[in-house]
């Protein structure tokens, strides 16, 4: 246990990148194109955060690989409009500088990191690594993405926090035995996130960064030895 490190596991879509409504539109178009005309945009948005195949099952009650493939096609041109939330990269840097291992945990595919990391604007030295849907059999809301990250990067579960934006992130964190901080910038309200079990809720990365010292992340960081955190 002495060799385990404190860390933070960041969701990407809706947490660091302002992509949830782009995904909502892409899924709505994809489902309509594959015969699921009854699915509304609101239902699509509420399911964002579930990995693709699971999202389709959640919304339609069955499997539809064509819908999954169509979502990728619909989403591709929308990437031109994606942007990072203000101070997202600064938040990651601040966590790193405080001595926390910073890991991305996304339900996206490994290849998505090729555009996600540059879009966030974070330098590679800040990140300890990432886990994606390709690393697990079941992505969020199952805990696998998080538990794999904890094991792979030698994180201390008692000193590791999940940062996300959906009730699915909260569920995955709870099942993994980890505390969670949620942000509302993905479109899910504070009350719903707290009711789902989030330990803390902030507006967006900038708000969390502004309150970093008093947050759960600040509490975890204060337990990091000065020589690890770079404090003098």
């Amino acid at each position: 246990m002495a060799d385990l490190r404190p860390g933070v596991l960041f969701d990407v879509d809706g947490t660091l990148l302002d992509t949830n409504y782009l995904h909502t539109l892409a899924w709505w178009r994809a489902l309509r194109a594959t015969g699921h005309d009854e699915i509304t945009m609101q239902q699509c948005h509420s399911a964002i955060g579930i990995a693709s195949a699971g999202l389709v099952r959640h919304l339609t009650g069955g499997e539809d690989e064509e819908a999954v493939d169509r979502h990728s096609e619909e989403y591709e041109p929308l990437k031109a409009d994606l942007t990072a939330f203000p101070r997202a990269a600064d938040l990651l840097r601040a966590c790193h500088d405080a001595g926390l291992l910073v890991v991305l945990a996304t339900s996206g595919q490994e290849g998505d990191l090729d555009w996600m990391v540059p879009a966030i604007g974070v330098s590679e030295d800040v990140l300890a690594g990432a886990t994606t849907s390709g690393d697990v059999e079941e992505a969020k809301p199952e805990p696998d993405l998080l538990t794999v990250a904890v094991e792979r990067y030698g994180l201390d579960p008692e000193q590791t926090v999940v940062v996300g934006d959906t009730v699915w992130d909260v569920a995955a964190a709870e099942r993994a035995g980890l505390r969670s901080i949620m942000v509302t910038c993905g479109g899910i309200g504070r009350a719903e996130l707290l009711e789902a079990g989030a330990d803390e809720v902030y507006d967006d990365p900038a708000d969390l960064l502004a309150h970093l010292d008093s947050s759960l992340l600040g509490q975890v960081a204060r337990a990091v030895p000065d020589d690890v955190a770079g404090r003098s």
Side-chain angles (χ1 to χ4, degrees):
M1 293 293 289
D3 295 329
L4 298 180
R5 289 282 302 275
V8 53
L9 306 178
F10 279 97
D11 172 62
V12 178
D13 284 310
T15 301
L16 300 173
L17 296 180
D18 193 0
T19 52
N20 279 8
Y21 291 100
L22 300 179
H23 277 297
T24 295
L25 178 59
W27 275 117
W28 181 74
R29 288 175 172 173
L31 290 165
R32 288 178 63 84
T34 51
H36 305 286
D37 296 347
E38 75 283 4
I39 305 299
T40 67
M41 280 197 177
Q42 186 277 330
Q43 289 173 306
C44 290
H45 179 263
S46 294
I48 299 299
I50 305 175
S52 294
L55 182 147
V56 171
R57 287 196 300 272
H58 176 77
L59 291 176
T60 70
E63 305 289 340
D64 193 332
E65 291 185 13
E66 184 183 357
V68 172
D69 293 340
R70 186 60 181 260
H71 165 264
S72 297
E73 295 173 12
E74 295 287 352
Y75 187 69
E76 189 62 32
L78 298 178
K79 288 180 183 178
D81 296 316
L82 70 84
T83 185
F85 288 113
R87 307 299 303 277
D90 293 335
L91 173 61
L92 299 184
R93 169 63 71 178
C95 290
H96 170 272
D97 290 348
L100 304 180
L101 288 185
V102 178
V103 177
L104 302 181
T106 172
S107 294
Q109 301 175 2
E110 183 177 1
D112 292 332
L113 295 173
D114 293 339
W115 60 264
M116 282 180 167
V117 173
I120 296 168
V122 63
S123 56
E124 295 281 356
D125 67 293
V126 168
L127 301 176
T131 53
T132 68
S133 59
D135 294 312
V136 297
E137 292 187 9
E138 294 290 340
K140 301 169 189 175
E142 296 304 318
D144 304 29
L145 274 174
L146 307 178
T147 56
V148 167
V150 167
E151 294 172 3
R152 178 180 294 171
Y153 299 104
L155 302 179
D156 181 352
E158 295 184 1
Q159 296 296 325
T160 294
V161 179
V162 175
V163 179
D165 68 293
T166 70
V167 295
W168 314 112
D169 292 315
V170 177
E174 187 173 76
R175 293 172 186 177
L178 303 172
R179 292 176 292 177
S180 66
I181 294 174
M182 295 293 123
V183 289
T184 61
C185 49
I188 306 301
R190 179 181 304 271
E192 186 173 354
L193 293 169
L194 288 172
E195 184 177 355
D199 291 283
E200 295 179 352
V201 179
Y202 296 89
D203 294 340
D204 52 23
D207 185 30
L208 176 53
L209 179 61
H211 298 90
L212 192 62
D213 287 346
S214 60
S215 73
L216 272 176
L217 289 176
Q219 174 185 325
V220 170
R222 282 190 289 276
V224 178
D226 288 346
D227 59 337
V228 174
R231 296 185 293 261
S232 58

